[in-house]
Amino acid sequence: DVYKRQVSTQSTWDVRMLSENILPVHGYHKDSPQYKHFIEYLTTLQRDKQRLFLKYVTGSPRLPSGGFAELTPKLTVAKRITPEGDHPDLYLPSVMTCQNYLKVPKYSSYTVLKDKFDYALSEGQNSFTLS
């Protein structure tokens, strides 16, 4: 019974909630295909991958008690600039965890975005680099 209450009170990662609480900036806006793909990707994550995503982006596997709405600063998604002549599909997303700031290259498709994030979440959990 306690378990059922805990599950029913967990925040669902749906398009509306995520779009209201994740800010697109610096090259992205609410109608950018890459931003929409990113939001769609987040809605597909199971609980274990949600935790990996949160740890990758914020440094913590959990959201504050109020969910995304209570993240301070707000989770922000910016376009990652890639070197001239290089295709954005060659690059992984990068983060500034202290600022909840995610830099996402202008991926050519949802599939590329999904593959790059899946790789970053599985392989980038214990690395620290400057970007």
Side-chain angles (χ1 to χ4, degrees):
D1 211 25
V2 172
Y3 175 74
K4 285 182 184 177
R5 275 186 284 160
Q6 286 177 332
V7 170
S8 68
T9 60
Q10 289 177 352
S11 175
T12 305
W13 289 21
D14 61 50
V15 171
R16 181 174 175 231
M17 182 279 297
L18 293 168
S19 297
E20 289 173 356
N21 292 290
I22 300 175
L23 308 174
V25 297
H26 304 297
Y28 289 138
H29 51 81
K30 296 274 184 185
D31 293 323
S32 298
Q34 292 76 18
Y35 176 78
K36 288 181 174 185
H37 291 161
F38 172 67
I39 296 296
E40 179 184 348
Y41 171 74
L42 292 181
T43 67
T44 69
L45 298 181
Q46 298 297 315
R47 185 87 174 134
D48 60 330
K49 282 253 183 128
Q50 288 177 349
R51 292 173 64 82
L52 288 175
F53 172 78
L54 290 171
K55 186 169 185 224
Y56 178 71
V57 174
T58 69
S60 172
R62 293 181 189 88
L63 286 167
S65 62
F68 279 96
E70 296 302 318
L71 271 179
T72 305
K74 291 280 190 199
L75 180 56
T76 303
V77 179
K79 181 178 171 184
R80 179 176 179 183
I81 305 301
T82 54
E84 190 172 330
D86 282 359
H87 198 285
D89 289 356
L90 299 173
Y91 291 86
L92 291 170
S94 60
V95 297
M96 295 187 311
T97 56
C98 294
Q99 296 299 314
N100 299 331
Y101 195 89
L102 181 62
K103 295 186 261 182
V104 180
K106 189 177 179 182
Y107 294 129
S108 61
S109 69
Y110 172 82
T111 303
V112 173
L113 179 139
K114 179 186 179 314
D115 291 346
K116 295 297 184 179
F117 269 95
D118 284 347
Y119 184 81
L121 297 185
S122 66
E123 302 298 323
Q125 290 296 320
N126 296 314
S127 69
F128 176 81
T129 57
L130 298 176
S131 66

